[in-house]
Every structure is written in C-alpha cells, then in structure tokens.
Amino acid sequence: DTNTKIDDIRKNAQATLSDITSLKQNVQSQLNSLSAKIASYQSDMDKIIRPSTDLISLAAKENCIREGVLFNEESVKIVSSSSATSIHHCIDMCRMRDGCEAVTYTFSNVFLTDKFICTLLNKREGNRRSVNAKNTAVSVNMMCYGVAHASQAVWQTCIKANKDFYGSDLHSIKGIPSVEECANYCAKVDNCKSVTYRASSKTCWTKHKPTGDRVTTLNGLQSLTLSCLSVAQTPQAMWQTCIQANTDFSGADIRSVNGISSIEDCVNYCAKINNCKSVTYRASTNTCWAKYKPTGNKVTTVNGLQSLTLSCIGIVQVPPAKWRTCIQTNKDFGGADIKSVKGIASIEECANFGAKVDNCKSVTYQASSKTCWAKHKPTGDKVINLNGLQSLTLKCLGVAQASQAKWAACIKASTDFPGADIRSVKGISNIVECAHYCTKIDNCRSPTYSY
C-alpha cells in the first residue's frame, strides 16, 4: 500500500510538473507575441512621430515672420523709421544696425495717407508679444529668421559632435527631440548665442557665449554656435557682395589672430567670438581682426585690406533652377499694378524689387525696356499671352525651393481639409502641382488633392 501511494504521488507530481512546463511554454509564447506587438507598435509610432516632429520643426522655422503680432517696444526700442518700404526692407535695416535683435513693422492710415513704421528692437521678441487685432503689424525675431534658412548641409557643418560648450548657461530644458530644435529654441531666448545638446536625455542647454566658457570633449553631446548657421550657408556671390576690398574698419578691435587663410575663415573665427560684429583681414600676413562694431569706429581706404560686416551675409539667394520653375515666359499678369520702375536688369532683380514693395504678390518684366511692374495680386487681374514679357508669383519661389523632406513632412496623407473652398480644378497631376496652383490664387492658404 505504501509503495502504491508513493507511485501515485510520483505520478501526480510528474503530471503537475508537466502542466507547469506547458503553462510556462504558453506564457513564454504569449510574451513573445506581446513583445512583437510592442516592437510593431513602436515602429508604427516612429512612423507617426518622426514626420510630426519634422512638421513641428518646419512650422517653427517658418513662423519667424509673425503677421498680426506686435513686439512691444517699451524700453527696448533702438530707433523707428518711416523710410522702410516693406518688412524685408525693415529686416535689412536691422541687419546693419548694431545691437538690433528684432523688428516690428506697422501700418496705419492717417487722413487717407498710408503710414509705415519700422521699429528696431534690442530684444529678440521685444518686452512682450501681443496680437495686433487689426492685423496691421508684422514682427520678426532676427535670430529665428537666420536659423530658419539653414540647409541640412549647413547644420552638419556647424554641429560639433562630442563637444561640450561648458559653462555660460542661461538655462536648460528637457523633451527637445534634436539639436536642430535645441537651436530653434535658443533663437527665441534673449541673448542665447550657442547650445549644447544631449540626445540620450533630450536635454538642451542654452548659452550666453558663442562657445560657452570653454570647449571640452564629451561623448554623446553636440554643440553649436547659432551665428555659424548664417555664415556657413552664404553663397560665393553673397560673399562678393559683402566683402569691401581695400577697406579698413578701423578701431573697435576685440582681438587679432594670425594664420587665417582667407576672409571667409576670418568671418568663421569672428562668429565664435562673443559680440563680434565685423572683421578686417590682411591676406599678405594672414591676419584677422575681430570687431565689436558693424564697421569699426570708422571706415578708411587701405590697400590690401578686406572688411566685412557679418550681418550682411544673412540673405539666402534662390538658386537659378528654382527661378526657372516659377518664371512664366511670354505671359503678362495684366492689371493689379502697384507701381512700375525702369532700369531693372533682369526678372530676378524685378522680383527682388517686388519683395521690397508692400503687398506686392507678383511681377511682370519686359527685358527690351528693362521695365518691372509690381502687382498686388498673385497673377494680376488676368493672365495674357504676350511675347517678350516674363511674369512671376513671388510666393512660388518659397514653394519651389522646398526640399523633398519638407514636402514629405507637410503633406497630410489620407486627409481632407473640408470646406473653405475657393475653387477646384481638374487635370492636376500631383499634390506638388496643386500647391503651385494654389500660390497663384489670391488668399489661397491650403489645397486638398484627390487622385
């Protein structure tokens, strides 16, 4: 009897062990299935989050010209001027003004006379921002404006991998997805000149000096001087426009250094020095002088010297291929004229002229007479076939130079923007063509495309 009972206990134990093994295998199978689902979910979330992050980044970058927003000028105004003909002219005035960090451009109508005022400010967003109820103000954070135009190649040139700009912290913030977003955040912080970023913790440190107190090597960190973004993206044609040959910006020296191989390298050196606004360079001795005023204390003629104001090189030119996309040959945008001017050498110069005319949305140009007409509608009152004329919608230039990555970030797949229709048209081959079509319609803000 005892042996029988022992055999029964053994059999029961073996059955229980078999049940436990089976249960363990079943639980492991469910865990493997759950892990696979989690991995799939993470992959799907990445597909959603990454384009969303790109879109947020793009929206932030393209939000530097703030229509309907007033930067309050109390105690931070440098000067006001009524000579600026557009917000772009106002921006140019700020570039050449020592200490200018932001602009507000306002419009009013007094006794049936249009009045435009450009106000230069020494804080990036004034003392505070307010919504302009009548939508007659436009404001620009100049650092934001410069950072916004940097290409991916420029970012790679300026980002210093495994480098820490130690010290000089303004403050830190977590939850920033990339060093580019860290730089965009810095652009909105008054007196922020550089950043250090740690991807593993998504932490961004803003700094009040171009390279902190000192540069140290530290794995996993990225650092960047904001002024580098404007310098690095400058095309050769723009360098030639800004370099003043046989000119000395005398005085206002911060420091000098030997062994600099070019005026461009001299400017890059200046960009990393706190408060450097301009340079003078002597090629024969490879000497670079960094200055704390835009043109030194005075401008003098000295053979063999070159001088340059850093703010001059912040403009990004539209490449020729993009112009060709937007120029409509043998087309006249008839009517809707604001003004005309003679002596304009090309359609590109005509567009640059139009950009400085308030409310100009398009231009028509006649090469034979070198005449440029600025228009207040995207395609005038109507489009007419007329040999010898060229016409262009200014907004097209912004659409034409958008990268493939930007298109991918902004296109909302399987999404309808219902209502608010201006018109519809058939025969459009893709969403990109649809967006180009929208640029030619007055007050068109967004398209929906069905294929």
Side-chain angles (χ1 to χ4, degrees):
D1 288 342
T2 302
N3 290 335
T4 302
K5 289 180 179 180
I6 291 172
D7 287 341
D8 289 343
I9 291 170
R10 185 183 294 113
K11 289 177 182 178
N12 288 336
Q14 287 175 342
T16 302
L17 182 62
S18 178
D19 289 343
I20 291 172
T21 301
S22 177
L23 179 62
K24 180 181 176 182
Q25 290 173 345
N26 186 39
V27 169
Q28 187 61 51
S29 176
Q30 290 183 22
L31 284 173
N32 290 340
S33 176
L34 181 60
S35 296
K37 288 180 180 179
I38 291 172
S40 176
Y41 173 75
Q42 287 176 331
S43 177
D44 290 342
M45 285 302 295
D46 281 344
K47 291 176 183 178
I48 296 169
I49 290 170
R50 285 175 185 171
S52 299
T53 300
D54 291 340
L55 183 59
I56 292 167
S57 174
L58 178 62
K61 290 179 181 180
E62 297 191 348
N63 198 30
C64 299
I65 297 181
R66 308 290 298 278
E67 295 184 8
V69 172
L70 186 68
F71 289 171
N72 190 280
E73 62 190 58
E74 183 180 350
S75 78
V76 297
K77 182 174 77 172
I78 299 172
V79 69
S80 291
S81 171
S82 59
S83 63
T85 57
S86 70
I87 182 60
H88 300 285
H89 189 184
C90 191
I91 289 169
D92 288 340
M93 291 172 66
C94 182
R95 283 195 180 106
M96 300 308 294
R97 183 76 182 206
D98 192 22
C100 185
E101 295 279 353
V103 300
T104 286
Y105 186 68
T106 56
F107 163 78
S108 61
N109 187 283
V110 181
F111 299 117
L112 302 180
T113 301
D114 291 344
K115 186 178 181 182
F116 299 91
I117 300 293
C118 170
T119 303
L120 310 185
L121 309 172
N122 62 17
K123 288 188 72 175
R124 289 185 186 172
E125 298 197 359
N127 264 339
R128 63 182 183 276
R129 291 175 294 174
S130 59
V131 176
N132 180 251
K134 295 182 179 179
N135 205 35
T136 57
V138 182
S139 296
V140 180
N141 172 339
M142 291 296 290
M143 182 60 77
C144 172
Y145 188 78
V147 170
H149 293 88
S151 67
Q152 191 60 37
V154 168
W155 284 103
Q156 294 307 314
T157 299
C158 295
I159 293 169
K160 305 297 183 185
N162 300 318
K163 295 293 181 183
D164 178 22
F165 289 173
Y166 181 82
S168 298
D169 292 349
L170 292 168
H171 50 81
S172 65
I173 183 172
K174 295 199 173 187
I176 302 294
S178 67
V179 67
E180 291 86 354
E181 284 302 308
C182 183
N184 283 325
Y185 173 74
C186 172
K188 297 179 176 69
V189 176
D190 197 54
N191 201 38
C192 182
K193 297 182 179 178
S194 64
V195 297
T196 290
Y197 177 72
R198 178 180 280 123
S200 62
S201 63
K202 296 184 178 179
T203 306
C204 172
W205 290 268
T206 59
K207 315 277 181 173
H208 62 80
K209 290 184 180 179
T211 54
D213 290 331
R214 64 178 184 268
V215 180
T216 61
T217 299
L218 196 59
N219 289 340
L221 295 185
Q222 295 171 294
S223 294
L224 179 143
T225 303
L226 263 66
S227 58
C228 174
L229 295 171
S230 293
V231 171
Q233 66 185 310
T234 306
Q236 192 60 38
M238 188 57 66
W239 284 107
Q240 297 308 315
T241 300
C242 295
I243 294 169
Q244 299 186 43
N246 299 319
T247 300
D248 179 24
F249 290 169
S250 177
D253 293 347
I254 299 173
R255 67 181 74 158
S256 65
V257 63
N258 290 322
I260 302 294
S261 60
S262 66
I263 180 71
E264 291 85 356
D265 283 348
C266 184
V267 169
N268 281 322
Y269 172 74
C270 171
K272 297 170 185 175
I273 297 175
N274 195 34
N275 203 38
C276 184
K277 305 285 180 70
S278 65
V279 297
T280 290
Y281 177 72
R282 179 180 280 125
S284 62
T285 59
N286 290 339
T287 306
C288 171
W289 289 267
K291 315 275 182 175
Y292 62 82
K293 291 184 179 180
T295 55
N297 286 332
K298 62 180 178 179
V299 180
T300 59
T301 300
V302 180
N303 289 338
L305 294 184
Q306 295 171 294
S307 293
L308 181 145
T309 302
L310 262 67
S311 57
C312 174
I313 60 177
I315 300 170
V316 178
Q317 295 177 326
V318 178
K322 307 305 182 183
W323 286 104
R324 288 193 292 272
T325 301
C326 295
I327 294 169
Q328 299 187 42
T329 304
N330 298 322
K331 297 290 183 182
D332 177 26
F333 291 170
D337 292 350
I338 300 172
K339 62 175 75 171
S340 66
V341 62
K342 289 183 179 282
I344 301 294
S346 66
I347 179 67
E348 292 84 357
E349 285 193 18
C350 182
N352 284 327
F353 168 76
K356 296 173 184 175
V357 176
D358 192 60
N359 200 38
C360 180
K361 297 182 179 178
S362 63
V363 296
T364 290
Y365 176 71
Q366 187 175 54
S368 60
S369 63
K370 295 185 177 180
T371 305
C372 173
W373 290 266
K375 315 276 183 174
H376 62 79
K377 291 184 179 179
T379 55
D381 288 328
K382 59 182 177 180
V383 181
I384 306 167
N385 293 324
L386 198 57
N387 289 339
L389 294 185
Q390 294 173 295
S391 293
L392 180 145
T393 302
L394 266 63
K395 190 186 290 186
C396 175
L397 295 172
V399 171
Q401 63 183 324
S403 66
Q404 192 62 37
K406 287 187 178 180
W407 282 107
C410 292
I411 293 170
K412 300 281 197 178
S414 303
T415 302
D416 180 26
F417 292 166
D421 294 346
I422 299 173
R423 67 180 75 158
S424 66
V425 63
K426 294 193 174 184
I428 301 293
S429 60
N430 55 49
I431 182 64
V432 176
E433 283 191 19
C434 187
H436 278 285
Y437 174 73
C438 176
T439 67
K440 298 168 186 175
I441 299 174
D442 199 33
N443 204 36
C444 182
R445 304 289 176 85
S446 64
T448 290
Y449 178 72
S450 176
Y451 52 89

